[in-house]
């Protein structure tokens, strides 16, 4: 999973890619991209997300995760939304996404409403970026301006999804390297991990942590074992923190108390380089909420397709014929 290039080659490549990605994004993405062509876009997205999150608060976390999994594979290009067909292999059946990534039908519902208002104008990639922001805000997070103007990929990468998405079992150096490969710093990684302020994980992803690891609060481990047996129950859900439907800084407070759900959560606070950042966010919710929005904008700038690259999909699930 970690990059295999030598460190000097790796950081040279990362620096070059980051420069290109940032220049491209900053030059062509704008929060006002659809101001004249689809002026009610953001109202439409917010309305559908509000109805969705009211009905199922967990969906806010699911859409946020979809956006993260989109951006880390080929950039923020809507490739994760493409279905497999007889002649096309998408990313939905990659190991990190299969029986796990969810919320596709919510993006479909938004796309249908957007197409009715301003057809063939707004990309699925931009709809996903806006929906991710709104899910966070509807659960109590602080808003941020979403730069827009992405276009949709006509390709997807199953192998990229398998190789580029961080594992819940990853250690800290691997996480830092994988985020660096996308032009994101270690602090970006730590604040974006705070997306786990909301939502749930499946038992098979945290079983090893609650049964085998020692840097864990015993009472927390016992509580999680109640719904995650040593064998079986792989898809049983456990909350990332004690307020899974509220976007707050409890996630970081839990890390300080050794109550991180995933191995990849707790490594952020385990006598390593991110301990100070975790401590700061655990006591300063305002700093976390502000920095999270900034990091989401930065992640949303990963290798967008702009100009005449890609397309504006009519259906988010299939490339235009």
């Amino acid at each position: 999973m970690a990059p295999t290039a030598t460190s000097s080659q790796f950081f040279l490549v990362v620096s070059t890619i980051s420069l290109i990605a940032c220049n491209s994004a900053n030059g062509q993405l704008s929060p006002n991209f659809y101001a004249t062509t689809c002026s009610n876009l953001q109202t439409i997205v917010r309305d559908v997300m509000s109805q969705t999150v009211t009905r199922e608060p967990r969906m806010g976390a699911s859409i946020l995760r979809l956006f993260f999994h989109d951006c880390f594979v080929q950039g923020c290009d809507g490739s994760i939304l493409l279905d497999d067909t007889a002649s096309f292999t998408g990313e939905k059946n990659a190991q990190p996404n299969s029986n796990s990534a969810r919320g596709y039908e919510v993006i479909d519902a938004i796309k249908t409403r957007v197409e009715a208002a301003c057809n063939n104008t707004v990309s699925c990639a931009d709809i996903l970026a806006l929906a991710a922001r709104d899910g966070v805000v509807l659960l109590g997070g602080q808003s941020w301006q979403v730069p827009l103007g992405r276009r949709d990929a006509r390709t997807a990468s199953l192998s990229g999804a398998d190789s580029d998405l961080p594992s819940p079992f990853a250690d800290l150096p691997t996480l830092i390297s994988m985020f660096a490969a996308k032009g994101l710093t270690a602090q970006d990684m730590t604040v974006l991990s705070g997306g786990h302020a909301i939502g749930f994980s499946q038992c098979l992803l945290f079983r090893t942590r609650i049964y085998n690891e020692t840097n864990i609060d015993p009472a927390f481990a016992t509580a999680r074992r109640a719904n995650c047996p040593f064998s079986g129950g792989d898809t049983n859900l456990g909350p990332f923190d004690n307020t899974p439907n509220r976007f707050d800084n409890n996630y970081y407070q839990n890390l300080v108390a050794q109550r991180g759900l995933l191995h990849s959560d707790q490594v952020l606070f385990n006598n390593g380089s991110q301990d100070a950042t975790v401590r700061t966010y655990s006591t300063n919710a305002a700093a976390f909420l502000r920095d999270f929005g900034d990091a989401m904008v930065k992640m949303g700038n990963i290798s967008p397709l702009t100009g005449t690259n890609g397309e504006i999909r009519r259906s988010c699930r299939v490339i235009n014929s």
Side-chain angles (χ1 to χ4, degrees):
M1 299 274 291
T4 55
T6 65
S7 58
S8 58
Q9 292 171 320
F10 173 63
F11 285 109
L12 178 62
V13 170
V14 166
S15 300
T16 305
I17 291 172
S18 302
L19 186 62
I20 293 169
C22 289
N23 286 345
S24 169
N26 293 341
Q28 300 185 63
L29 297 187
S30 163
N32 302 314
F33 188 84
Y34 300 106
T36 58
T37 56
C38 195
S39 59
N40 57 344
L41 167 64
Q42 302 212 25
T43 300
I44 294 170
V45 176
R46 175 61 67 92
D47 284 351
V48 176
M49 285 301 296
S50 180
Q51 295 165 13
T52 299
V53 170
T54 298
R55 185 171 62 249
E56 184 189 359
R58 180 189 171 202
M59 194 57 77
S62 298
I63 298 296
L64 177 60
R65 184 168 182 257
L66 265 190
F67 182 56
F68 168 55
H69 281 214
D70 184 36
C71 289
F72 261 57
V73 183
Q74 297 191 165
C76 309
D77 61 1
S79 59
I80 194 172
L81 304 173
L82 291 167
D83 284 342
D84 286 3
T85 69
S87 58
F88 185 90
T89 302
E91 298 164 12
K92 292 183 178 180
N93 287 309
Q95 195 273 330
N97 295 330
S98 180
N99 300 311
S100 169
R102 61 196 297 272
Y104 302 111
E105 70 284 357
V106 177
I107 304 304
D108 291 340
I110 298 171
K111 178 65 169 174
T112 297
R113 293 232 353 228
V114 169
E115 286 295 301
C118 27
N119 70 302
N120 199 34
T121 301
V122 181
S123 67
C124 300
D126 277 344
I127 287 172
L128 181 54
L130 287 168
R133 189 270 311 271
D134 289 350
V136 168
V137 173
L138 288 162
L139 293 175
Q142 181 174 308
S143 191
W144 63 89
Q145 281 201 319
V146 179
L148 300 167
R150 300 169 191 81
R151 288 167 64 86
D152 295 321
R154 290 180 56 82
T155 61
S157 178
L158 181 73
S159 61
D162 279 327
S163 64
D164 290 7
L165 290 168
S167 163
F169 309 105
D171 59 17
L172 185 58
T174 299
L175 292 172
I176 291 173
S177 294
M178 296 186 80
F179 277 73
K182 306 300 176 183
L184 300 169
T185 67
Q187 179 167 340
D188 293 331
M189 180 269 296
T190 299
V191 70
L192 288 168
S193 295
H196 289 174
I198 51 177
F200 298 77
S201 181
Q202 295 184 14
C203 168
L204 80 165
L205 302 179
F206 60 87
R207 177 182 286 121
T208 300
R209 166 131 177 87
I210 63 174
Y211 284 98
N212 295 351
E213 297 188 5
T214 56
N215 60 338
I216 188 167
D217 174 64
F220 172 76
T222 298
R224 288 293 165 268
R225 288 172 184 171
N227 196 43
C228 182
F230 189 75
S231 63
D234 283 359
T235 60
N236 292 1
L237 298 176
F240 279 113
D241 70 12
N242 46 325
T243 55
N245 295 328
R246 191 169 77 235
F247 199 89
D248 54 24
N249 67 331
N250 278 358
Y251 170 78
Y252 297 100
Q253 295 172 7
N254 281 8
L255 296 185
V256 172
Q258 295 194 315
R259 294 174 188 158
L261 185 64
L262 303 177
H263 179 83
S264 59
D265 291 323
Q266 195 60 56
V267 296
L268 303 180
F269 191 83
N270 193 40
N271 300 312
S273 65
Q274 300 308 295
D275 281 21
T277 300
V278 170
R279 278 199 189 278
T280 296
Y281 292 149
S282 75
T283 59
N284 190 337
F288 163 57
L289 296 176
R290 178 196 66 230
D291 291 352
F292 185 81
D294 291 344
M296 285 292 288
V297 171
K298 193 171 177 182
M299 184 177 76
N301 283 345
I302 298 174
S303 306
L305 296 171
T306 57
T308 57
N309 294 316
E311 65 182 14
I312 302 299
R313 269 183 232 142
R314 288 186 287 274
S315 164
C316 293
R317 292 176 179 266
V318 295
I319 60 175
N320 297 341
S321 55

